[in-house]
């Protein structure tokens, strides 16, 4: 009788390749990372520019709380305007021209025509030049006008403030 033979061959086990790892990243992931970093950097730069642009406005609103006279309010308005507008245009404004400038910078929806600075011109003249000064209610009205202007006119919008652009500064300079 014949001996049974084994049909098994001496083969090694099958070894599969290891699964691909996360590193090195594919070019698509590098693109996503670069785009995300670019967006984050742009947002940070925009927030810094916005904070820098509104710093003078915030300081003026804080200083308004300590103001006790109309002359101080007028000086505060002048300093705030000089922070945002061309010095050549703002520094020389006085009287009705100054009040007209203030009204022109305030947006329409915040009552620049019917209840603006020119409508209260007599209060401003009385408060600055009169020995009597203003009553508490008149001073409160002027303070409300000042606060309204600081909140809504600063920083100036491009449509209302062509004087704050470098090209306009050069044009006025010539």
């Amino acid at each position: 009788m014949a001996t049974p033979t084994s049909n098994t061959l001496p083969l090694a086990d099958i070894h599969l390749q290891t699964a691909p790892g996360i590193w090195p990243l594919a070019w698509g992931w590098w693109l996503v990372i670069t785009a995300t970093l670019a967006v984050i950097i742009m947002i940070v730069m925009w927030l810094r520019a916005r904070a820098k642009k509104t710093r003078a406005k915030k300081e003026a609103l804080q200083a308004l709380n300590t103001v006790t006279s109309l002359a101080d309010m007028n000086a505060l308005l002048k300093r705030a305007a000089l922070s945002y507008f061309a010095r050549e245009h703002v520094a020389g404004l006085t009287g009705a021209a100054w009040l007209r400038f203030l009204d022109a910078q305030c947006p329409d929806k915040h009552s620049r025509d019917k209840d603006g600075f020119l409508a209260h011109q007599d209060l401003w003249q009385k408060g600055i030049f009169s020995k009597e000064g203003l009553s508490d209610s008149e001073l409160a009205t002027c303070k409300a006008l000042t606060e309204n202007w600081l909140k809504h006119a600063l920083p100036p919008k491009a449509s209302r403030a062509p004087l704050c652009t470098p090209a306009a500064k050069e044009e006025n300079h010539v």
Side-chain angles (χ1 to χ4, degrees), residues 20-161:
I22 194 167
W23 199 259
L25 294 177
W27 66 269
W29 285 110
W30 285 110
L31 186 65
V32 168
I33 291 169
T34 305
T36 303
L37 286 175
V39 167
I40 290 171
I41 289 170
M42 288 184 344
I43 289 172
V44 167
M45 288 172 51
W46 178 76
L47 287 172
R48 281 185 161 180
R50 183 171 175 241
K52 184 178 178 183
K53 194 174 187 180
T54 59
R55 185 177 302 138
K57 174 183 177 177
K58 289 178 185 177
E59 288 176 8
L61 284 169
Q62 288 174 350
L64 184 61
N65 295 331
T66 61
V67 169
T68 57
S69 70
L70 190 64
D72 292 340
M73 272 187 251
N74 196 36
L76 179 66
L77 284 170
K78 186 73 86 159
R79 281 195 318 267
L82 286 171
S83 296
Y84 290 101
F85 299 97
R87 182 172 196 81
E88 299 84 22
H89 182 72
V90 176
L93 294 176
T94 58
W98 169 242
L99 298 178
R100 235 184 333 275
F101 169 79
L102 293 174
D103 279 343
Q105 301 312 312
C106 207
D108 292 333
K109 66 181 177 180
H110 296 291
S111 66
R112 82 171 176 205
D113 293 332
K114 63 181 179 212
D115 198 28
F117 288 92
L118 278 175
H120 294 90
Q121 181 176 2
D122 54 335
L123 284 179
W124 287 91
Q125 297 298 328
K126 178 183 171 187
I128 292 176
F129 298 113
S130 175
K131 292 180 181 180
E132 304 156 3
L134 296 175
S135 67
D136 289 339
S137 64
E138 292 172 332
L139 191 63
T141 300
C142 292
K143 194 170 190 174
L145 277 171
T146 302
E147 183 176 7
N148 182 44
W149 191 84
L150 290 172
K151 283 182 178 179
H152 301 292
L154 298 180
K157 306 293 185 269
S159 61
R160 288 181 286 148

